Amino acid sequence: MTIDFECAGCGADFEVDVAILMEDATKLQCPNCDAKADPHSVEDLMGALDDVMASMAHLRRKFHFALNMETDDLPPPYGPADGEQEEEEVWEEEEDVEK
Ligand SMILES: [Zn+2]
């Protein structure tokens, strides 16, 4: 299982295996410009992801499902990324279509 990243600095797209990030939070680094994420934030994310996966493993006895989680498509109160507030209306319309 991998996570797709887009570097906010240079725009490079890359993916990192979740198992690698679980083992070493410093492995989240842009292969193009070497930008790094705060390891503590990565550790927090991996800890939360571990909880999500445990819950998914439990739920799959009843339902098989997939999560599409994107930083640019987070529900309230997280909303769009900073600096993209003007796109909020568009984002809400897209949310309605998906349901
Ligand atoms: Zn980069």
Side-chain angles (χ1 to χ4, degrees):
M1 191 171 102
T2 58
I3 302 177
D4 296 321
F5 294 98
E6 180 186 316
C7 179
C10 73
D13 293 310
F14 60 101
E15 59 182 38
V16 183
D17 197 289
V18 167
I20 291 174
L21 291 180
M22 291 256 182
E23 200 168 288
D24 185 353
T26 67
K27 295 292 187 185
L28 177 46
Q29 181 172 5
C30 176
N32 186 51
C33 74
D34 291 336
K36 291 179 183 174
D38 172 20
H40 296 295
S41 296
V42 177
E43 276 175 21
D44 285 347
L45 176 64
M46 290 304 120
L49 206 51
D50 196 46
D51 289 344
V52 169
M53 290 190 288
S55 295
M56 288 178 82
H58 186 70
L59 267 171
R60 72 180 166 193
R61 295 170 195 166
K62 289 282 184 180
F63 297 104
H64 295 188
F65 61 101
L67 294 176
N68 259 320
M69 300 175 75
E70 300 181 24
T71 50
D72 292 347
D73 192 25
L74 294 175
Y78 305 105
D82 288 342
E84 296 180 8
Q85 296 299 318
E86 62 277 1
E87 296 179 19
E88 190 165 357
E89 286 181 23
V90 174
W91 170 76
E92 286 174 352
E93 285 170 12
E94 287 173 352
E95 179 72 7
D96 289 338
V97 170
E98 284 177 7
K99 294 293 173 188

